Amino acid sequence: MSYIVGVIPIKTQFLILLASALSLASSANAEILFSDKFDEQSFSGWRPSGNNTATIVNSPIRSGNYAAELKLDRLMDRVPWRTELRLQRPSFDIGKEYWIGFSNQIPSAGDAGFFTMQLHKRPDAGDQGGRQPLLLRANSSGYNIHVNYDANAMTTASTEGRQIFSAGSLNNGQYTDWVIHVDFSFQSDGLLEIWKNGSMIVNYQGPNCYNDALGPYMKVGIYIPGWKSRSGATDANKRTIYYDEVKVGDAASSYNEVAP
């Protein structure tokens, strides 16, 4: 049996090459580095920090079918001050730009409050100083955002800088949508833009991280430094938070790509 091998016309060859080139160009453009709606009923891509008690629940949800529930019980939990999830990848690079989106719901934050999201520093060897570059804190009065930074290689209390932004009410019983656009720099060319429920609440240009070799990583959950001691704890010393629609995009991503 013989076969006739067809010759592809020049025009068709050109269209195939053009489609291939466009496909390669597209893959080099905007990229979602991480996305989790928790609909796989898994914490793949996350690592517990503090208590390993996070669960997948089907209510309340922001979208899809499931969300993450994190609880902290100061009386009963092995670690009384922290139940968090650490995003394993990506870690962020200083000098690069990222888009981050997520949604959270807090039934009650209490007067003392807690940190609900951190971009957590990875200090250089020997550098023990400094807070975290970005902190989202909630209490009964509402949210606020802390930005901490230092251009010095070794951070001290006198060299560290800080900005604090008010971020409005908790919207108890409802999900709050967040989008963070950050260009990491410990110099004046840094950028931080934050939207809450579609409205821009932070438009800050200036330093937003530390002079470290490694950039920060992301954590979500409940962190209450004042609960490291169980002394005086009561049944009221319990907190719960829900997360859904977590996305991280690179520099070519956008608000619309990561927004919940």
Side-chain angles (χ1 to χ4, degrees):
M1 183 180 294
S2 61
Y3 297 90
I4 299 175
V5 179
V7 177
I8 300 176
I10 296 296
K11 183 177 179 181
T12 302
Q13 293 182 46
F14 171 77
L15 291 174
I16 291 172
L17 290 172
L18 178 61
S20 177
L22 289 173
S23 176
L24 289 173
S26 176
S27 66
N29 290 333
E31 182 180 358
I32 296 299
L33 305 175
F34 179 84
S35 179
D36 197 353
K37 296 173 64 174
F38 303 103
D39 281 358
E40 299 298 321
Q41 301 183 59
S42 164
F43 287 118
S44 176
W46 301 94
R47 189 173 75 190
S49 179
N51 300 294
N52 185 10
T53 56
T55 59
I56 305 292
V57 297
N58 60 12
S59 178
I61 57 174
R62 169 63 176 80
S63 69
N65 299 305
Y66 296 95
E69 179 186 71
L70 288 85
K71 292 185 175 183
L72 182 61
D73 187 326
R74 186 181 178 188
L75 292 172
M76 303 301 296
D77 286 340
R78 180 181 62 85
V79 178
W81 69 91
R82 183 173 69 192
T83 295
E84 297 175 290
L85 292 171
R86 171 178 174 172
L87 186 60
Q88 294 183 280
R89 292 186 180 84
S91 293
F92 304 106
D93 293 328
I94 295 170
K96 292 188 178 181
E97 183 181 356
Y98 300 90
W99 290 85
I100 302 167
F102 63 93
S103 192
N104 66 356
Q105 183 181 141
I106 301 173
S108 175
D111 293 336
F114 61 91
F115 295 109
T116 71
M117 191 280 290
Q118 304 182 51
L119 296 185
H120 196 289
K121 71 178 299 190
R122 294 186 288 169
D124 295 334
D127 184 5
Q128 301 300 317
R131 301 176 177 90
Q132 311 316 326
L134 180 65
L135 296 161
L136 177 61
R137 186 175 182 274
N139 62 23
S140 57
S141 299
Y143 287 104
N144 53 58
I145 295 160
H146 299 215
V147 182
N148 302 296
Y149 49 86
D150 191 357
N152 293 276
M154 292 294 169
T155 296
T156 66
S158 63
T159 61
E160 186 177 38
R162 172 189 264 191
Q163 301 283 338
I164 299 178
F165 303 93
S166 176
S169 65
L170 295 184
N171 302 321
N172 295 96
Q174 301 178 33
Y175 270 98
T176 299
D177 296 338
W178 302 94
V179 172
I180 300 170
H181 178 211
V182 58
D183 190 349
F184 286 107
S185 175
F186 48 82
Q187 305 287 359
S188 60
D189 58 346
L191 172 69
L192 178 66
E193 297 175 319
I194 300 179
W195 291 260
K196 178 188 178 190
N197 292 332
S199 298
M200 179 178 278
I201 58 170
V202 174
N203 185 4
Y204 165 72
Q205 295 184 356
N208 56 32
C209 65
Y210 291 82
N211 185 357
D212 295 323
L214 301 174
Y217 58 88
M218 181 175 172
K219 297 175 79 175
V220 300
I222 304 167
Y223 176 54
I224 310 177
W227 281 14
K228 290 187 177 182
S229 168
R230 298 184 197 268
S231 176
T234 70
D235 284 339
N237 292 157
K238 297 179 181 180
R239 297 289 180 267
T240 302
I241 191 168
Y242 300 93
Y243 283 91
D244 206 348
E245 294 281 330
V246 181
K247 288 185 181 180
V248 179
D250 65 9
S253 189
S254 66
Y255 177 97
N256 288 334
E257 282 193 321
V258 303

